[in-house]
Amino acid sequence: MFLFNVRVYGILINEHGEVLISDERTENVSFTKFPGGGLEYGEGLIDALKREFMEETGMEIEVLQHIYTTDFYEKSSFNESQIISIYYLVRNLTQINLNIRTVCFDFTEKSIEGKLQAFRLIPIKKLQEKELTFKTDKVAWVEFLKIADKIQL
């Protein structure tokens, strides 16, 4: 049996034109990605994204528009599943109350269930796709940049 792993992520741009990214370390693998995570059985994409943002950041969000859905094969870095990722532009409904870092992988908080996580805010024009770890995030970022000028943030 082949397994599919459905993931949902949010591209959050704050009022200063900065994008929120997450640096994480789990299972001795370090990576940089957009906030979000896995769909749970019985959950819709929007509900999953809102839950993931609340779990990771403590923020309530509003989903504004679809940005990208994986259209190529990508194997999980952690198991034998095929990754399908969906990206949305989101807006925070509650204040960003995170300990924002300026250095990649600056983990000073304690591990949550074996996972280290730190957040950074990077100006839209400065975030380069090479700074993101996974191919789907890189493609989603390029797709976002194609429409960024047309979006009312």
Side-chain angles (χ1 to χ4, degrees), residues 29-45:
V29 177
S30 296
F31 48 93
T32 299
K33 66 176 192 62
F34 296 108
L39 189 73
E40 294 179 357
Y41 183 78
E43 197 172 42
L45 294 171

Side-chain angles (χ1 to χ4, degrees), residues 12-131:
L12 185 146
I13 310 296
N14 71 8
E15 65 276 7
H16 304 293
E18 299 166 316
V19 60
L20 182 67
I21 59 171
S22 175
D23 295 318
E24 300 180 25
R25 181 173 297 137
T26 185
E27 299 180 27
N28 295 321
V29 177
S30 296
F31 48 93
T32 299
K33 66 176 192 62
F34 296 108
L39 189 73
E40 294 179 357
Y41 183 78
E43 197 172 42
L45 294 171
I46 303 300
D47 288 338
L49 184 54
K50 288 179 178 181
R51 174 188 51 76
E52 285 287 344
F53 253 83
M54 183 57 72
E55 288 175 5
E56 290 188 17
T57 69
M59 279 189 287
E60 290 183 44
I61 58 161
E62 174 185 14
V63 175
L64 301 176
Q65 85 178 60
H66 174 261
I67 298 295
Y68 176 71
T69 299
T70 306
D71 57 3
F72 55 89
Y73 172 76
E74 183 169 37
K75 182 190 168 299
S76 172
S77 298
F78 302 99
N79 58 44
E80 294 302 313
S81 66
Q82 178 175 344
I83 300 292
I84 299 170
S85 297
I86 301 96
Y87 294 81
Y88 291 97
L89 178 65
V90 302
R91 171 176 42 220
N92 53 306
L93 296 176
T94 55
Q95 187 175 6
I96 297 176
N97 192 18
L98 298 167
N99 191 356
I100 300 297
R101 304 288 186 225
T102 56
V103 177
C104 189
F105 304 117
D106 182 8
F107 303 120
T108 57
E109 276 86 24
K110 293 185 178 183
S111 171
I112 300 170
E113 299 175 4
K115 172 179 151 181
L116 296 169
Q117 185 171 29
F119 293 96
R120 291 183 288 143
L121 285 166
I122 299 177
I124 292 173
K125 300 205 184 295
K126 289 190 176 180
L127 179 61
Q128 298 177 12
E129 67 179 281
K130 68 181 180 182
E131 295 177 70

